[in-house]
Amino acid sequence: MMKERGLPRSLRLMFSGGVAVGLGLLAHSVQAQETKTDDAPQMQRIEVTGSSIKRVANEGVSPITIIKADDFAKAGITTASEALGTISANQSQFTTSTNVGKGGTVGASADLRSLGSNKTLVLLNGRRLANSAFDGSTVDLNVIPIAALDRVEILRDGASAIYGTDAIGGVINFITKRSYTGLNVSGEGIIPSQSGGQEGRINVSGGFGDLDKDGYNVFGVVDYHKQSKITASQRGITGYVPSLGLSQTSGNTFPANFVDTGNGVSGNPLLATGCNAAHLKPNAKGTSCRYDYSSTIDVVPETSELAVIGKGTLKLNADNKASIEYLHSESKVTQTVAGDVFAGNGSDYLLPSSSKYYPGNGITPAVAGLSGDPLSVNFRSAGFGGRVSEAKNTADRLLLALDGTMWGWDYKTGLSYAVSKAQETLVSGYLNNDSVRAALLNGTLNPFGASDPGVYDAVKNSGKYLDAKTTISSIDFTASREIAQLPAGPLGFAIGGEYRHETAEYDIIHSVADLSESTGSSTSKSQSGKRNVGAVFSELSIPIVKDLEAQLAVRYDDYSDVGSTINPKIGLRWQPAQNLMIRSSYSTGFRAPSLYELNQPASTTYTSGSYNDPKLCPGGNVAPGGVDVRDCNTQFFTQTGGNKSLQPEKSTSFTLGTVFEPVKDVTVSIDYWNIKIKNQIGVISEADIFADPAKYANLYVRKPDGSLDYIVQTNQNMGNVHTQGFDLGLGWRLPKTGFGDFAFSIDGTYVTQYDYQSEKGGAYLNNLAVYAGGVGSTPGVVFRWRHTAAVNWKNGPWSATFQQTFSTGYVDANNSVSAPYDTHNVGSYTRYNTSLTYTGIKNLTLTGGIKNILNKKPPASNQIDNFQIGYDPRYGDIVGRAFFVRANYQFF
């Protein structure tokens, strides 16, 4: 269970040396250890995450949350994304389920303070990984080797003047085990009480050599995890929910809707019988059929992750060591969405009267009023199955490092190369558009039912169509020492630097992409970019008077493509009593647009939700020149892509907090945070564009016949963001009892403000407890309050955890909903988890538990920005109740 660093009993002793704390580059936190001498035991100075000046004290200027890896296993947590989901400050994140219906995305990402995943800096052992190749602004959490972790440390005070000023929302440092001897094997399984979503994991870790005795250590970890898919039908998911005001269906149906090119008559062969086919429903006017596409998708995709990490450390002498570390990790997401889409649009996808499948020719039921001219058909390839695609992300990093003490300086330096690769592959269900047109004309493809044998093989399209790669080559150096003795204690000083070369390549394989319009990449062009980044920083830790310390840090960054910036941080730490500490900090941030945001290839794909063309179907009513199945309540094309004119984002961050022990064995922390951002980078949401067509008229691109071709959602600088709130933590270790030891903890975040501008100089809009545009490409909600609470128990070889996660409700999206549903509210959401662990058998640890004990369903929502309709997959657990077991055996 996560906890805030507690105030140790030996605080007075630990602070008597006056060792200061600051915010530092490439810091690797380790636990304090006693180093015995002939005279007396001394506390070893350590380096805390966020500080490059070694110190003894646990608590510093910056608030840090820690999750121990052992707690992952007890809670049944199987991915890094799931672990971060228990952190209250990580309000919203791109989960693996959010990949459904989207191509070329990051597998999963973190989002501290709801400022966008591109403003959360994710590190592995204090150093950067290459960002996800498809979304080059953030690290794919699915490639983090969770089985190799010792802990996760989350720095929550905004921009880091030392780690990198792009850490506006905070820093998440995944820390692996430092060394390991022996052989350890573990396996676990998760079985939901409902069908689908089973998970399995197996990992093996082993190592040999003792650094102190042998002078070296070599260890490695291999970890494999797999989760099966959950289909919409297994959870009763549908886009047609009248009680929520939802009718998210499509005019591209199977059997097909049509428009007679001769006289304009439109309809569907099954309209007369009430559209009585799978996933079909009549439209509100009874003039055509609609297709419930969201009932045919995977609401949770099939996923697998493989991670291999190895490390060798050589002790050069008593004070210095060298190491080599290699990580290889890969993640694969396989998703299924509704059958391929073919929109007639007048002269496209024509079925001639000579086709045996033409209505009334003996196979398809006749439809009155047809002229005998070709029919323009709007249909899906549901008869050939859904569209199945596979996204594969791999990450590799090689690190050579030296660290130790020399000439009175604590130092460390590293040379690393990190690469992230991604590819998107069409597996099945995608069709060649030109072949489909030809098959309609020659009478072998039936848009209303079963086609001729062998037609699928003639029209199918498969293979890799997107390929991307990002790299980071870097060298860093940090050195620190005490440089003077002041009346209140030693003056700590650190200096460091970093040089990075970043590249990004985005390739479109047109031999596949051009054949299927629904990939969105048929008109895209391959792009690439590169930059050099140089940085230097310095830090002072100044003891002003006894128990009052100041931290001054400054960082200079020079980007070869966007210029240079200087950003300071000022911090104060005051401990007026042994059981009370007060801290505060102020810093500025600077985030250059990522290479992906600058160079993302322009692509055109379907909107997540269904809308009315404001010109040809205003308010859902067909206007002159409009066609119901084409222009009303349908998914339109949207064009996304990079923008080479983007300007950097700038921020200011302020924190003020306290950690205190009101009574013995109770630790309380309260931290206020306030973050302001200028020039946020994002896109105007599709819902906002359709909600105000006059304001965004320049974002509508139309065809020569006046029909809507696509809307424009390319990256841009949108305006400012201002958010503030409080983080609260409580840890309470109860007195020992005859029934065992009990402890209680809670980690919560209360947000008091989240205002944003959707354009420069525009009005500030509220996103707090309201589903709104916010930051990024997809609207969402900022919860007013979220917490994770737990009761832990231990008695001999037995231990148990009971956990609660809670989030408050909010005003729903209510995008295209009419009264009385225009003020639908999403209720609060509570889940309970429990586990029991037994260690009474030598070398064996057994754990069993239940996740979501009460089988709580996700709160109902009428959002239409994700392919999953009726709930929000970013915030709700569609898996439901799940039982898990885990066994861990240490051979030696």
Side-chain angles (χ1 to χ4, degrees):
M1 192 55 210
M2 55 194 167
K3 60 182 180 180
E4 185 77 19
R5 290 185 185 268
L7 290 174
R9 294 292 175 197
S10 54
L11 267 178
R12 288 192 181 277
L13 170 64
M14 294 170 68
F15 286 109
S16 62
V19 181
V21 63
L23 189 59
L25 175 69
L26 308 173
H28 297 182
S29 290
V30 294
Q31 298 299 314
Q33 300 176 354
E34 287 190 357
T35 303
K36 293 187 177 181
T37 66
D38 294 335
D39 299 323
Q42 296 178 350
M43 294 298 293
Q44 179 179 329
R45 293 181 303 149
I46 63 171
E47 195 171 345
V48 178
T49 291
S51 176
S52 57
I53 299 176
K54 287 192 174 182
R55 53 189 289 270
V56 179
N58 274 4
E59 287 289 351
V61 169
S62 304
I64 300 176
T65 298
I66 303 173
I67 315 175
K68 296 292 293 181
D70 290 343
D71 297 328
F72 296 162
K74 294 178 182 178
I77 289 173
T78 56
T79 65
S81 175
E82 187 179 6
L84 293 180
T86 65
I87 299 297
S88 61
N90 191 49
Q91 282 247 346
S92 61
Q93 59 183 11
F94 191 96
T95 65
T96 303
S97 293
T98 324
N99 286 268
V100 174
K102 299 177 175 65
T105 66
V106 63
S109 61
D111 185 2
L112 293 174
R113 307 299 185 204
S114 295
L115 295 173
S117 58
N118 54 16
K119 284 176 275 295
T120 296
L121 180 58
V122 176
L123 307 172
L124 179 66
N125 291 334
R127 289 179 167 94
R128 294 175 186 251
L129 292 163
N131 286 339
S132 169
F134 276 154
D135 186 359
S137 304
T138 185
V139 170
D140 179 7
L141 296 179
N142 287 338
V143 301
I144 298 294
I146 188 171
L149 296 180
D150 176 72
R151 63 195 179 278
V152 182
E153 300 191 351
I154 299 99
L155 189 67
R156 296 180 279 110
D157 73 337
S160 171
I162 309 302
Y163 276 112
T165 55
D166 51 347
I168 293 173
V171 178
I172 300 176
N173 193 7
F174 291 91
I175 302 173
T176 62
K177 298 176 177 67
R178 296 301 177 194
S179 62
Y180 185 83
T181 57
L183 177 64
N184 188 86
V185 178
S186 67
E188 60 187 296
I190 299 177
I191 303 176
S193 59
Q194 304 174 72
S195 56
Q198 297 84 2
E199 294 183 67
R201 173 185 291 278
I202 185 169
N203 64 74
V204 179
S205 56
F208 57 90
D210 184 283
L211 272 177
D212 293 326
K213 296 179 180 180
D214 305 318
Y216 70 90
N217 177 259
V218 177
F219 81 95
V221 178
V222 178
D223 180 67
Y224 178 74
H225 168 256
K226 184 178 179 64
Q227 180 177 19
S228 63
K229 68 180 181 180
I230 299 177
T231 65
S233 60
Q234 289 174 322
R235 294 296 185 272
I237 299 301
T238 173
Y240 186 75
V241 190
S243 61
L244 289 175
L246 282 173
S247 180
Q248 288 303 299
T249 53
S250 172
N252 299 298
T253 64
F254 184 79
N257 286 320
F258 63 81
V259 178
D260 190 321
T261 59
N263 58 19
V265 171
S266 64
N268 189 293
L270 294 185
L271 181 61
T273 57
C275 302
N276 58 343
H279 311 294
L280 278 193
K281 299 181 183 300
N283 71 348
K285 304 165 192 164
T287 57
S288 65
C289 297
R290 307 287 300 179
Y291 191 79
D292 182 9
Y293 60 88
S294 63
S295 65
T296 67
I297 68 172
D298 292 343
V299 291
V300 174
E302 178 182 306
T303 61
S304 64
E305 296 97 32
L306 172 68
V308 180
I309 187 169
K311 183 176 182 179
T313 304
L314 177 65
K315 192 172 184 179
L316 302 176
N317 54 43
D319 297 318
N320 300 277
K321 60 182 182 291
S323 64
I324 180 172
E325 178 183 290
Y326 178 71
L327 164 72
H328 172 77
S329 188
E330 56 187 59
S331 167
K332 186 164 63 176
V333 178
T334 304
Q335 59 165 307
T336 301
V337 295
D340 215 344
V341 181
F342 304 92
N345 293 331
S347 60
D348 214 358
Y349 301 107
L350 298 177
L351 182 73
S353 59
S354 59
S355 172
K356 58 188 175 185
Y357 299 122
Y358 194 91
N361 282 1
I363 296 177
T364 306
V367 177
L370 297 185
S371 68
D373 287 331
L375 302 181
S376 177
V377 288
N378 290 60
F379 72 104
R380 288 181 181 268
S381 61
F384 301 135
R387 285 169 287 174
V388 181
S389 63
E390 178 185 282
K392 184 177 180 180
N393 289 264
T394 63
D396 291 89
R397 190 180 75 175
L398 177 64
L399 170 66
L400 306 175
L402 290 170
D403 65 272
T405 302
M406 190 176 295
W407 305 305
W409 289 82
D410 297 319
Y411 76 93
K412 63 182 172 183
T413 184
L415 178 65
S416 69
Y417 175 74
V419 58
S420 175
K421 298 179 181 179
Q423 63 183 41
E424 191 94 14
T425 301
L426 308 182
V427 177
S428 63
Y430 286 84
L431 306 187
N432 181 321
N433 290 68
D434 289 336
S435 297
V436 167
R437 294 182 182 95
L440 285 170
L441 292 174
N442 66 28
T444 58
L445 190 150
N446 183 6
F448 305 115
S451 298
D452 286 7
V455 171
Y456 176 71
D457 290 334
V459 300
K460 69 179 180 181
N461 183 31
S462 61
K464 183 172 66 173
Y465 75 99
L466 284 179
D467 208 353
K469 176 182 177 181
T470 60
T471 68
I472 296 180
S473 304
S474 68
I475 184 170
D476 62 78
F477 180 81
T478 306
S480 66
R481 66 172 297 169
E482 297 171 359
I483 60 174
Q485 186 68 35
L486 301 180
L491 175 66
F493 172 75
I495 189 168
E498 178 187 18
Y499 176 81
R500 305 194 305 270
H501 176 66
E502 303 176 356
T503 68
E505 302 172 8
Y506 311 102
D507 296 323
I508 312 298
I509 294 87
H510 287 283
S511 59
V512 175
D514 291 0
L515 303 183
S516 295
E517 294 176 1
S518 62
T519 64
S521 300
S522 59
T523 59
S524 301
K525 295 181 180 180
S526 298
Q527 299 282 350
S528 64
K530 61 183 179 179
R531 66 160 50 123
N532 297 320
V533 184
V536 293
F537 78 90
S538 184
E539 178 185 356
L540 280 174
S541 184
I542 307 170
I544 301 173
V545 295
K546 183 180 180 180
D547 298 326
L548 176 62
E549 303 167 1
Q551 179 234 357
L552 304 177
V554 64
R555 180 183 178 96
Y556 171 82
D557 293 88
D558 181 70
Y559 292 80
S560 59
D561 53 351
V562 297
S564 60
T565 178
I566 298 177
N567 291 276
K569 177 178 179 178
I570 302 172
L572 289 173
R573 182 187 184 285
W574 179 41
Q575 189 174 356
Q578 180 179 0
N579 60 349
L580 174 65
M581 187 268 288
I582 298 173
R583 59 191 172 199
S584 181
S585 67
Y586 173 85
S587 62
T588 65
F590 176 97
R591 193 186 77 85
S594 69
L595 293 177
Y596 179 80
E597 290 166 331
L598 294 168
N599 301 287
Q600 177 191 359
S603 62
T604 304
T605 187
Y606 286 97
T607 57
S608 297
S610 297
Y611 303 93
N612 296 314
D613 184 331
K615 179 180 178 181
L616 298 178
C617 190
N621 300 308
V622 181
V627 178
D628 180 74
V629 297
R630 181 193 68 189
D631 304 320
C632 301
N633 192 24
T634 193
Q635 292 172 276
F636 293 97
F637 280 113
T638 176
Q639 184 184 82
T640 58
N643 180 353
K644 294 183 183 295
S645 299
L646 292 174
Q647 298 299 308
E649 298 174 325
K650 299 181 180 181
S651 71
T652 59
S653 300
F654 173 75
T655 67
L656 174 64
T658 180
V659 182
F660 61 97
E661 289 183 346
V663 296
K664 181 182 178 182
D665 293 325
V666 176
T667 301
V668 179
S669 65
I670 303 174
D671 288 283
Y672 167 77
W673 46 269
N674 186 313
I675 303 174
K676 296 180 180 180
I677 301 175
K678 295 180 179 180
N679 294 329
Q680 60 149 321
I681 297 173
V683 302
I684 300 174
S685 71
E686 62 185 48
D688 286 347
I689 292 173
F690 280 99
D692 197 340
K695 179 178 181 180
Y696 299 113
N698 63 315
L699 302 182
Y700 287 80
V701 178
R702 297 189 175 275
K703 297 179 179 179
D705 64 359
S707 63
L708 181 57
D709 193 0
Y710 58 86
I711 60 172
V712 178
Q713 285 188 286
T714 51
N715 296 329
Q716 61 181 280
N717 291 104
M718 298 177 62
N720 302 337
V721 180
H722 184 196
T723 181
Q724 59 182 325
F726 296 87
D727 291 327
L728 299 99
L730 170 66
W732 179 19
R733 185 174 297 278
L734 280 69
K736 292 181 178 294
T737 71
F739 300 101
D741 300 333
F742 292 86
F744 171 78
S745 64
I746 185 169
D747 173 87
T749 295
Y750 185 81
V751 184
T752 59
Q753 180 182 10
Y754 194 105
D755 296 330
Y756 70 98
Q757 294 173 305
S758 61
E759 58 188 352
K760 289 186 177 181
Y764 277 92
L765 307 173
N766 174 42
N767 203 172
L768 177 58
V770 174
Y771 191 98
V775 177
S777 60
T778 304
V781 63
V782 177
F783 295 95
R784 187 173 296 278
W785 169 258
R786 291 186 74 236
H787 77 247
T788 298
V791 176
N792 298 304
W793 167 80
K794 183 175 177 56
N795 189 10
W798 294 94
S799 61
T801 296
F802 182 76
Q803 180 190 74
Q804 180 205 52
T805 61
F806 173 83
S807 58
T808 51
Y810 57 92
V811 178
D812 207 355
N814 302 307
N815 286 321
S816 57
V817 199
S818 58
Y821 308 105
D822 55 353
T823 55
H824 179 261
N825 294 315
V826 176
S828 61
Y829 188 41
T830 306
R831 286 172 293 166
Y832 297 96
N833 311 309
T834 190
S835 69
L836 179 67
T837 299
Y838 179 68
T839 59
I841 303 174
K842 184 179 180 180
N843 296 333
L844 179 65
T845 301
L846 299 173
T847 299
I850 308 174
K851 301 165 73 172
N852 197 349
I853 298 172
L854 301 180
N855 199 28
K856 183 72 172 181
K857 295 181 179 179
S861 170
N862 54 35
Q863 64 82 23
I864 58 174
D865 296 301
N866 297 279
F867 265 55
Q868 298 93 329
I869 303 297
Y871 75 104
D872 198 315
R874 295 165 293 182
Y875 315 124
D877 172 27
I878 197 64
V879 175
R881 182 190 298 115
F883 304 90
F884 67 91
V885 292
R886 185 178 190 272
N888 183 88
Y889 189 79
Q890 187 168 350
F891 287 89
F892 58 87

